[in-house]
Amino acid sequence: MLLIKTLGYSGLLPFIYLTYALMTGNDGQPEESFLLFSIYSCLILGFMSGVIWPILYQHTNQNRLALWAVSFPVFSFLSFIWLSDYILLIQTGLFILLRIVEVAERIDEAYPMGYASLRWQLTSIVSVCHLCVFFV
């Protein structure tokens, strides 16, 4: 579990760095940093929803769970294209909704001990970064 935690927290580094750079103005190209932040956010949300795939084969309602797992990255991508002014708010909502679905569908119970807690921590930090960048 130590490696998983280390990798999970390492995945926060781009969020934290870009949030800091955009909030402090220490970035010479804020448009590019915002774009990188948004793209990375879409990528990570896709990864986090993809973690559901191995679990859905053991789930009582596989079809619903598969639909959830695919919906998050699709909505993320479509909002990036069509609602780019609100992408960070939408992404924040999607990250939080993903966690709510994991709890409501009892996916957390299939995760190894401590992983659900790690997911809450990562989701919380990512959501705060999104809101900080949005309100800059």
Side-chain angles (χ1 to χ4, degrees):
M1 186 69 182
L2 179 60
L3 177 61
I4 291 171
K5 282 185 177 182
T6 302
L7 293 173
Y9 290 125
S10 296
L12 292 174
L13 293 176
F15 285 120
I16 293 168
Y17 169 76
L18 291 167
T19 299
Y20 173 78
L22 287 162
M23 289 185 69
T24 60
N26 288 341
D27 185 18
Q29 300 172 340
E31 295 85 14
E32 288 182 11
S33 292
F34 182 83
L35 183 62
L36 283 173
F37 187 99
S38 300
I39 292 170
Y40 188 68
S41 177
C42 291
L43 176 85
I44 293 300
L45 182 68
F47 171 77
M48 290 183 75
S49 68
V51 172
I52 295 173
W53 277 107
I55 293 167
L56 72 87
Y57 292 107
Q58 305 162 17
H59 199 269
T60 56
N61 196 335
Q62 294 176 347
N63 292 337
R64 183 176 64 219
L65 200 54
L67 185 60
W68 276 116
V70 170
S71 295
F72 285 100
V74 169
F75 285 134
S76 176
F77 180 74
L78 293 176
S79 63
F80 179 76
I81 293 171
W82 292 327
L83 300 167
S84 59
D85 290 344
Y86 302 100
I87 184 67
L88 298 183
L89 290 179
I90 294 168
Q91 287 294 105
T92 303
L94 289 172
F95 274 104
I96 293 169
L97 182 60
L98 175 59
R99 284 301 301 138
I100 291 169
V101 166
E102 288 175 323
V103 171
E105 293 288 345
R106 302 175 75 141
I107 296 167
D108 276 4
E109 296 172 13
Y111 288 148
M113 179 71 75
Y115 187 67
S117 175
L118 175 66
R119 296 275 288 201
W120 276 117
Q121 292 170 15
L122 298 175
T123 298
S124 298
I125 294 168
V126 166
S127 296
V128 168
C129 288
H130 280 71
L131 294 174
C132 287
V133 171
F134 181 79
F135 289 111
V136 168

